[in-house]
Amino acid sequence: MNTSDSEEDSYNERSALVQCESPTIPSYNQDHDMSLPQETDTKRRRPVSSGLDEPGPVERERASTPDGEEEELTLKYGAKHVIMLFIPVTLCMVVVVATIKSVSFYTEKTSQRLIYTPFEEDPNSVGQRLLNSILNTMVMISVIVVMTIILVVLYKYRCYKFIHGWLILSSLMLLFWFSFMYLGEVFKTYNVAMDYPTLVMIIWNFGVVGMICIHWKGPLRLQQAYLIVISALMALIFIKYLPEWSAWVILGAISIYDLIAVLCPKGPLRMLVETAQERNEPIFPALIYSSAMVWMVGMADSSNPDSADERQRNEGGALAQEGVESEDDAAQGGRRRYSAEEDLEEDRGVKLGLGDFIFYSVLVGKAATTGGDWNTTLACFVAILIGLCLTLLLLAIFKKALPALPISITFGLVFYFSTDNLVRPFMDSLAAHQYYI
Amino acid sequence: MNLERIPNEEKLGLSRRYYLGGFAFLPFLWLVNVLWFFREAFLKPTYTEQPQIKSYVKKSALGLIVWVAVLTTWITIFQHFRAQWGEVGDYLSFTIPLGTA
């Protein structure tokens, strides 16, 4: 009896999170804190009452939350939504790990660094290395903060054209330049001869169709696939160009920044979202991954919901460009956007910012690079998924946009360091002594 | 975006744009057009704009087949004769495999 009956209703709704069903479910007050001026999509424009869980005619279902509370919660998301996010996150991580393990280019350390991490890590002295990585982190985070604030200011003063142009430029760079590099490295690794005409055709097609799908209109699955691919490409760039220790410190610092920026009242991301909400307008073709479910066949209310949903992530030129990672700031740990259940009973699914994809993949990719063996990689992968699950649970309870990075990254870091330093030697020595447990 | 939720005229417009766009050396766009609008064009009950969408899908499919044939031919020729072409072969190559003639 769930309204979320789609054809693929293979997920048992009677799991931990139960989806609320109600034809006239009031929309929850979403504060999108999608930091990126993301979507305050047209959904918002629909008349939604902003009540919360207590509408009279609503049928509630008993929710058995993981902690076993038997309250009558009307939780927004069910297991289906969790799965809908697991799949793309997993795919992104799989692509990144597969590339790292096979194409050696992304693990070769070069002396070339991003301008955002100017301090070199000297492998000889631990203290010096630590200090330099902390300084690198501070530089990077301040760059991100500045970019976010610029974005908020631009948005407040309605400089939409500028933002559009910026976003288009960065996705152009990602879709053409980074994929060109990636293809080149893959061909070199597999020792395949490739000629320029064919290569130009491939890159041209890939890039143009990508721009069309992401910024304009295209099939949902293709758009999702493109978003996953560009997140993976970006993550690979980070893995290659961030120095070892700096990467870990940056991951930690970004989660903290995410937490602050999204939840504090004066946080830039939150202000962005609130401004967008006040203006009640759809935001740029943004880069937010939207796992929209199958629409209920029905009302021909044809305002186009999806176009507004994407949050554009600005992939700043990581390498040399002026355009900084606005995607980072924007995408900072995906704000999870929440979709109001419209009176048309359509479930829009959950949205996750692309920054989240990127940083999750960076964590798992680095674990694959430096961790040594598959135990560490798998442990990080599981940790991130658990974190994602918990974040979704919190999202369902609190019903406002939340930062997606902190919990997952914390778990990921904890699992990485403990697996690397505790579990791995343990397993190695068990194997060496041929002792099976 | 979901095709279910947009009106038929918009679907037609979308299909037309994808078709026209494919002429810019974009067979992939034609492929997307075919796959995305296939159900609309052939498996749905008839509506006003359907014959036009059908024609766009068919023409896109045709263009796609032509491009695939051209590309396959070129790739086969290149891979086979690359070594023999000497300098021209190298000039055309983006990556040259190591360890072979």
Side-chain angles (χ1 to χ4, degrees):
Chain A
M1 345 189 261
N2 272 324
T3 55
S4 64
D5 263 333
S6 54
E7 297 102 22
E8 48 209 358
D9 202 352
S10 49
Y11 306 110
N12 188 356
E13 293 290 335
R14 305 287 164 253
S15 53
L17 295 177
V18 177
Q19 188 172 3
C20 174
E21 68 180 275
S22 122
T24 50
I25 199 167
S27 69
Y28 303 101
N29 225 340
Q30 302 174 352
D31 322 357
H32 310 264
D33 22 304
M34 287 309 227
S35 32
L36 293 173
Q38 284 196 330
E39 29 190 307
T40 313
D41 36 38
T42 49
K43 289 183 295 214
R44 272 322 120 84
R45 292 201 230 128
R46 296 195 215 289
V48 277
S49 50
S50 59
L52 212 32
D53 302 326
E54 313 300 317
V58 175
E59 242 176 3
R60 284 201 228 133
E61 300 197 280
R62 224 151 240 270
S64 46
T65 58
D67 8 343
E69 296 171 20
E70 290 290 322
E71 271 180 78
E72 290 223 358
L73 294 174
T74 49
L75 290 177
K76 177 74 177 170
Y77 295 118
K80 194 176 296 190
H81 296 90
V82 176
I83 304 287
M84 282 188 333
L85 277 188
F86 271 16
I87 293 181
V89 170
T90 311
L91 277 175
C92 191
M93 291 198 259
V94 161
V95 168
V96 169
V97 170
T99 309
I100 296 257
K101 290 287 185 186
S102 55
V103 178
S104 61
F105 171 75
Y106 288 103
T107 44
E108 287 161 6
K109 286 298 160 191
T110 66
S111 55
Q112 187 185 358
R113 282 190 309 280
L114 299 176
I115 56 173
Y116 312 121
T117 50
F119 296 96
E120 183 171 357
E121 282 186 13
D122 173 15
N124 297 326
S125 144
V126 173
Q128 189 68 17
R129 194 168 187 182
L130 196 58
L131 179 69
N132 279 348
S133 41
I134 293 182
L135 289 174
N136 275 339
T137 309
M138 288 186 342
V139 170
M140 185 103 176
I141 298 284
S142 46
V143 163
I144 289 175
V145 170
V146 163
M147 296 315 300
T148 315
I149 293 181
I150 291 181
L151 199 62
V152 175
V153 164
L154 281 177
Y155 189 65
K156 269 197 141 67
Y157 290 109
R158 302 178 189 264
C159 310
Y160 295 141
K161 283 209 163 17
F162 189 85
I163 300 183
H164 272 297
W166 186 9
L167 293 177
I168 288 185
L169 203 63
S170 50
S171 42
L172 266 177
M173 212 195 63
L174 255 186
L175 280 171
F176 287 96
W177 177 246
F178 288 169
S179 56
F180 169 76
M181 271 174 50
Y182 178 80
L183 263 181
E185 293 308 321
V186 168
F187 288 141
K188 280 186 204 148
T189 307
Y190 290 104
N191 224 14
V192 170
M194 175 56 60
D195 54 308
Y196 277 114
T198 316
L199 179 77
V200 165
M201 275 300 288
I202 294 176
I203 300 279
W204 172 244
N205 274 273
F206 178 75
V208 172
V209 177
M211 291 300 287
I212 290 178
C213 274
I214 295 175
H215 294 267
W216 192 54
K217 303 175 188 165
L220 181 67
R221 289 285 175 224
L222 192 61
Q223 183 182 51
Q224 292 174 334
Y226 267 107
L227 293 176
I228 293 176
V229 165
I230 62 181
S231 306
L233 284 176
M234 195 70 200
L236 284 169
I237 294 293
F238 273 140
I239 293 174
K240 178 164 177 69
Y241 288 109
L242 286 179
E244 296 273 344
W245 290 17
S246 305
W248 296 110
V249 184
I250 285 177
L251 275 174
I254 278 225
S255 324
I256 299 178
Y257 170 67
D258 195 22
L259 201 58
I260 297 175
V262 172
L263 295 179
C264 291
K266 276 301 174 188
L269 304 182
R270 185 166 178 161
M271 279 172 45
L272 251 176
V273 169
E274 284 170 359
T275 317
Q277 223 174 344
E278 280 166 33
R279 293 182 191 169
N280 223 10
E281 60 191 10
I283 319 192
F284 325 94
L287 292 176
I288 237 200
Y289 179 93
S290 149
S291 61
M293 285 165 57
V294 174
W295 299 105
M296 303 300 262
V297 177
M299 322 308 142
D301 185 344
S302 60
S303 54
N304 218 345
D306 276 293
S307 55
D309 283 351
E310 269 72 34
R311 165 160 89 176
Q312 181 111 9
R313 217 167 45 135
N314 196 349
E315 273 82 17
L319 285 179
Q321 220 104 319
E322 288 315 316
V324 188
E325 326 271 9
S326 53
E327 95 178 348
D328 278 338
D329 31 277
Q332 235 34 252
R335 305 290 133 41
R336 211 153 311 194
R337 268 271 333 273
Y338 201 99
S339 21
E341 192 142 357
E342 295 154 4
D343 29 36
L344 301 178
E345 295 194 34
E346 287 169 358
D347 188 0
R348 305 215 45 164
V350 187
K351 294 175 177 56
L352 185 61
L354 287 191
D356 294 329
F357 280 86
I358 294 182
F359 286 110
Y360 294 161
S361 308
V362 166
L363 194 147
V364 177
K366 284 217 85 68
T369 311
T370 58
D373 62 359
W374 287 99
N375 277 334
T376 326
T377 314
L378 281 177
C380 290
F381 170 69
V382 170
I384 287 181
L385 288 185
I386 293 177
L388 188 59
C389 212
L390 281 178
T391 316
L392 274 173
L393 175 59
L394 284 179
L395 180 69
I397 294 177
F398 289 114
K399 303 183 180 67
K400 49 187 247 191
L402 293 176
L405 278 184
I407 301 181
S408 291
I409 299 277
T410 314
F411 280 8
L413 288 174
V414 163
F415 272 53
Y416 171 74
F417 286 112
S418 55
T419 313
D420 207 31
N421 298 317
L422 299 176
V423 177
R424 193 153 60 96
F426 176 60
M427 300 296 288
D428 286 344
S429 97
L430 279 185
H433 292 97
Q434 295 286 296
Y435 190 74
Y436 295 102
I437 53 172
Chain B
M1 71 177 327
N2 194 320
L3 279 185
E4 307 284 338
R5 297 198 81 218
I6 61 177
N8 293 333
E9 306 81 49
E10 274 189 50
K11 284 183 211 165
L12 180 62
L14 208 53
S15 188
R16 177 191 296 130
R17 287 193 178 165
Y18 269 62
Y19 168 65
L20 294 175
F23 281 108
F25 292 85
L26 292 171
F28 191 27
L29 203 56
W30 277 335
L31 178 67
V32 173
N33 198 11
V34 166
L35 292 177
W36 197 21
F37 283 98
F38 186 78
R39 185 187 281 177
E40 284 294 323
F42 296 103
L43 303 178
K44 284 250 166 92
T46 326
Y47 52 89
T48 341
E49 289 83 359
Q50 201 189 41
Q52 290 172 288
I53 295 186
K54 214 182 264 195
S55 83
Y56 286 132
V57 169
K58 284 185 193 160
K59 288 189 262 188
S60 300
L62 189 62
L64 178 67
I65 292 175
V66 166
W67 264 109
V68 166
V70 164
L71 276 176
T72 318
T73 321
W74 164 249
I75 291 177
T76 323
I77 293 178
F78 179 77
Q79 295 289 338
H80 200 52
F81 291 113
R82 179 187 56 82
Q84 299 166 23
W85 283 346
E87 204 179 290
V88 174
D90 284 351
Y91 177 68
L92 278 176
S93 296
F94 170 56
T95 50
I96 301 177
L98 306 170
T100 56

